[in-house]
Amino acid sequence: MSTTISNTSTHTGLGMAPVVPTTGALTPLGLDEVRITDGFWADRQRVNGSATLPHVEHWLEREGWLRNFDLAAAGTLPEGRRGREFADSEVYKYLEAVAWELGRLGGDDALESRFRSVVDRVAAAQEADGYVNTRFGRPGQGERWSDLEWGHELYCLGHLFQAAVARERTSPGADDGLLGIATRAADLICEVFGTDGIQSVCGHAEVEVGLAELARVTGESRYLDLASLFVERRGTGVLADIEYGRAYFQDDVPIREAEALRGHAVRANYLAAGATDIAVEHGDTGLLEALRGQWDRTIARRTYLTGGQGSHHQDEAFGEDFELPSDRAYSETCAGIASIMFSWRLLLEDRDVRYADHIERVLYNVVATSPSAAGTAFFYANTLHQRTPGESSPADEVSPRASSSERAPWFDVSCCPPNVARTLASLAAFVATSDDHGVQIHQFASATIDTTIGGAHGGRFRAELVTDYPRSGVVSLRILEAPREAVTVSIRVPSWADDARLSVAPADGADETLDVAPGYADVARVFAAGDVVELSFDMRPRVTHPDPRVDAIRGAVAIERGPEVYCVESVDLPGGDESLAHIEIDPDAGVEEAGDGRLTVALRARPDADAAWPYAERFDASHDAEPFTATIAPYHSWAERGPSTMRVWIPTTRS
Ligand SMILES: [Zn+2]
């Protein structure tokens, strides 16, 4: 017997978005309703489509991860299989990225045929009972589901499900067969892992978010029920203990009892995102409350200034509260993306601006940092302090995941590049939402909005969002068409914008301007074509101090401007001084605009006092070095000019 779930929203969009809950405070607007047209993110979306997607496909082919499916279809595995146990998932993430890209472009014949050719290769590898994985289940390979701790079979399926969901939402009813591949695999795991099946979970959470969204797309509640079983089982010691401890895969404490995210940072956030989906669909207020608490504590105590998460290299994991060393920041790109996934789901449920603020922080300082300007090399880990210049990553070599100070074209574990690709391709879905009262703007980008507001007084709403943010702090929303009844337009005022002003310039009438506080600024009125709502705020640079409990950076400050975190990079210092350890900043000397997003600060290079033993009753604290003016640039733009050293947190001359 099967039951179905269905969407109760009166919103009429196609739901061309990664997350479409059936209930919640906000309804996401899809890629058919919001298009990013110009500026910071439009540039990155163009590079993603023209350079990153072909780059990822090239490497999937070159490394044999696509060919693994051909070998599976030919029945010759395990001979010739290449890549790690989770290599299949990168193919699925690539398919998801292409599906969103096709939705973003409104179709593209060449890309469509590339998409279909990859789906065909996956389809050929699927077994009669729905099983699909190139690493397990054949003679000479491990048995199916025999290594749940490390095998990643369910993890890979989670990415398959997300790819199929992206395809169905951007090309409803497409005849490529991807949705069928996904549902056959989902049906199989409902049997294998259901109430009477294997009472365990995958070592890497991810199948939960995939199952939840597959349930939303198909209306099949069994998929949601299975996701719920996975969420509830974890934390009860169903997986074997490992060298990093069960916290590594969040199997140490049941999710309802956990106080913060812990263990592997990507796993923890994927799990929390999936649990949020289940809590929302089941109206499970207890689970939601636990997740909100975990988000709060993780942001307050376990997150870098960049929004990055994870301060242990060895297990890619969260540290203890306030254990956030700059030079050992792991801050995996995927952990940032996973944190956006968790935050976005809570934002849709709660309409709490803090989630949107955090998403912006991660977008500008983790997601924008990972890919090179050319879109063909990536950071896997995102350190906040590069002590030595490191070596360049050759453009045609696979890199260990976190060993270089420069971006690398591909990794032996290459989760991050396709994760960036799917995020950038679907980014328009994170810009705005609607409810029965109006439209909410969460992220700033020049964009067009064309949607239908639900509710009794709803109707078509079209508008143009215009901004050159983050260069300036002016965001204009020009109304092109609005319902005849009053609707509310809400625009996020960032947490640091304490002097924001909102003006309403009706097409016919006098301007009104009012001061607005951080949060959502609401304008409720009957809008007419030509009305302009404009939010403006000061983008003056800010000197940011850490909580003293983040003791690794005590006595240091960072510079931020708008959503962007800045850094000192050796190539900007006189003589290319690579020893940033002795650099100090005089925060009282001011931070000035230097044009093109760059700033100038007053630095001083304290003379090194080389000693045989680097500890003493007193070190030479000579403060007579001459200050000099140096240029600093946004952190996301570092490491584009050859090997360099860099730091975000700079000790002050007072320390
Ligand atoms: Zn990754």
Side-chain angles (χ1 to χ4, degrees), residues 93 266 270 316 332-335 379-380 413-417 419:
K93 251 186 278 177
V266 182
Y270 281 174
E316 306 186 307
E332 182 181 339
T333 300
C334 288
F379 276 129
Y380 185 113
V413 175
S414 216
C415 45
C416 300
N419 222 348

Side-chain angles (χ1 to χ4, degrees), residues 88-145:
D88 295 1
S89 72
E90 313 312 349
V91 172
Y92 302 145
K93 251 186 278 177
Y94 166 75
L95 283 175
E96 183 189 343
V98 173
W100 294 127
E101 183 68 3
L102 285 166
R104 185 179 83 82
L105 296 172
D108 177 297
D109 290 346
L111 191 58
E112 173 77 21
S113 78
R114 278 162 52 206
F115 178 87
R116 285 174 179 261
S117 75
V118 173
V119 172
D120 288 346
R121 293 164 77 177
V122 173
Q126 187 167 37
E127 296 178 30
D129 66 354
Y131 184 82
V132 55
N133 188 288
T134 67
R135 177 66 176 74
F136 289 91
R138 298 167 191 82
Q141 293 185 320
E143 285 181 27
R144 292 181 185 182
W145 325 118

Side-chain angles (χ1 to χ4, degrees), residues 267-613:
R267 290 164 207 248
N269 274 289
Y270 281 174
L271 175 65
T276 306
D277 286 329
I278 291 152
V280 167
E281 296 302 333
H282 288 171
D284 189 336
T285 53
L287 181 54
L288 266 173
E289 204 46 45
L291 290 161
R292 291 186 190 108
Q294 290 164 32
W295 189 93
D296 288 349
R297 188 168 178 120
T298 303
I299 295 299
R301 297 172 179 230
R302 299 185 175 191
T303 302
Y304 284 99
L305 180 67
T306 53
Q309 295 179 342
S311 45
H312 288 181
H313 278 235
Q314 180 174 268
D315 50 354
E316 306 186 307
F318 283 100
E320 299 294 325
D321 286 353
F322 305 111
E323 183 190 346
L324 294 163
S326 287
D327 53 354
R328 297 301 291 162
Y330 197 66
S331 182
E332 182 181 339
T333 300
C334 288
I337 290 168
S339 169
I340 290 174
M341 290 165 58
F342 180 27
S343 304
W344 177 246
R345 284 158 172 79
L346 288 174
L347 176 63
L348 293 177
E349 173 65 12
D350 288 351
R351 196 193 195 266
D352 183 332
V353 74
R354 295 178 308 144
Y355 302 127
D357 281 336
H358 175 66
I359 289 170
E360 174 177 72
R361 183 172 291 278
V362 179
L363 283 174
Y364 279 96
N365 302 296
V366 178
V367 175
T369 304
S370 175
S372 63
T376 53
F378 306 85
F379 276 129
Y380 185 113
N382 293 279
T383 188
L384 276 69
H385 183 180
Q386 182 68 37
R387 289 180 178 274
T388 58
E391 291 178 11
S392 291
S393 275
D396 61 349
E397 278 181 27
V398 174
S399 171
R401 64 187 79 164
S403 66
S404 173
S405 70
E406 289 190 69
R407 296 168 181 86
W410 201 249
F411 305 90
D412 55 356
V413 175
S414 216
C415 45
C416 300
N419 222 348
V420 169
R422 68 174 181 156
T423 304
L424 289 176
S426 61
L427 194 64
F430 299 87
V431 169
T433 56
S434 70
D435 62 15
D436 283 351
H437 307 288
V439 166
Q440 304 79 37
I441 308 296
H442 305 286
Q443 303 300 334
F444 306 140
S446 285
T448 57
I449 299 172
D450 184 351
T451 186
T452 306
I453 296 171
H457 308 301
R460 191 164 183 195
F461 179 92
R462 290 193 302 122
E464 194 177 13
L465 195 58
V466 180
T467 182
D468 66 349
Y469 189 80
R471 295 285 68 79
S472 90
V474 180
V475 181
S476 296
L477 186 74
R478 176 179 294 276
I479 310 298
L480 302 175
E481 183 178 345
R484 291 168 184 274
E485 306 280 343
V487 296
T488 302
V489 166
S490 306
I491 305 184
R492 180 175 63 93
V493 180
S495 60
W496 39 262
D498 51 13
D499 61 346
R501 297 160 305 281
L502 188 76
S503 73
V504 181
D508 55 348
D511 290 14
E512 300 164 36
T513 300
L514 61 156
D515 293 335
V516 286
Y520 288 106
D522 299 329
V523 182
R525 60 186 293 139
V526 178
F527 286 99
D531 291 358
V532 176
V533 179
E534 186 168 281
L535 177 70
S536 59
F537 40 79
D538 204 322
M539 293 286 279
R540 65 179 175 277
R542 312 187 299 281
V543 177
T544 301
H545 296 260
D547 184 316
R549 288 174 290 182
V550 189
D551 48 343
I553 50 172
R554 194 180 294 173
V557 297
I559 308 298
E560 298 180 271
R561 179 184 179 279
E564 296 174 306
V565 171
Y566 278 67
C567 66
V568 178
E569 191 176 359
S570 55
V571 287
D572 286 322
L573 296 182
D577 184 356
E578 290 176 348
S579 174
L580 292 182
H582 59 191
I583 291 291
E584 297 172 336
I585 187 170
D586 180 357
D588 300 327
V591 184
E592 304 296 331
E593 298 275 355
D596 206 23
R598 299 164 75 79
L599 303 171
T600 58
V601 292
L603 299 182
R604 194 165 63 182
R606 183 196 291 249
D608 290 330
D610 277 328
W613 179 239

